[in-house]
Amino acid sequence: MKIAEIDHIHLYVEDIAQAVQWYNAVLGFSRDVSLGFWAEQGGPRVIRNNRASLSLFLRTTQPPGHTVAFSVAAPAFSTLIPVLRENSIPFSISDHEVSMSVYFNDPSENKIEVTSYDYSQAKSILARFA
């Protein structure tokens, strides 16, 4: 499987508005208005600075730690899912309405997300594995 880039990192914060302001003031991040609907639906507030993206989640029961999301072209899922199954790695598939993602953990319980914005193609490929 070929990874295109790190897509985003999940950050769990105590106050999303405060985090948005801090990341804006200190590092120049701003809200990604194209993904604002996720926050409105109770999901993350996505902020960007050029190609760097952070997904800010309200910390409730999540212990400190982060999720790294790797961006791939949709066909990469055809390689990834068999590898996960061959190695008995549990995974879940999520439809984010504009992207499709596969979630799993590494051996140290770090959370990994592999995501594709080739939405229709990724959804079709992942439907075979659901």
Side-chain angles (χ1 to χ4, degrees):
M1 177 182 70
K2 185 175 181 178
I3 293 174
E5 62 190 7
I6 292 177
D7 186 73
H8 64 278
I9 297 174
H10 293 204
L11 293 180
Y12 297 90
V13 300
E14 280 69 36
D15 183 321
I16 290 177
Q18 179 185 47
V20 169
Q21 189 279 329
W22 189 91
Y23 278 95
N24 176 266
V26 176
L27 295 172
F29 279 80
S30 60
R31 290 180 180 200
D32 183 335
V33 294
S34 70
L35 299 176
F37 70 95
W38 281 343
E40 293 164 9
Q41 296 172 348
R45 169 64 64 199
V46 179
I47 59 175
R48 290 189 188 277
N49 182 334
N50 292 313
R51 292 181 58 173
S53 181
L54 300 175
S55 292
L56 304 175
F57 289 86
L58 186 61
R59 178 175 288 142
T60 53
T61 60
Q62 177 70 25
H66 312 293
T67 300
V68 177
F70 297 102
S71 180
V72 298
F77 289 128
S78 295
T79 303
L80 174 64
I81 301 298
V83 168
L84 294 175
R85 287 184 171 161
E86 288 167 14
N87 288 283
S88 301
I89 299 171
F91 65 91
S92 63
I93 297 171
S94 292
D95 182 337
H96 299 298
E97 299 179 22
V98 295
S99 65
M100 294 295 297
S101 296
V102 175
Y103 294 90
F104 54 97
N105 293 338
D106 74 6
S108 297
E109 296 301 315
N110 293 303
K111 294 174 185 357
I112 306 294
E113 175 184 358
V114 176
T115 193
S116 177
Y117 291 91
D118 302 332
Y119 179 72
S120 296
Q121 186 180 10
K123 186 171 183 170
S124 176
I125 291 168
L126 288 171
R128 298 191 318 241
F129 297 107

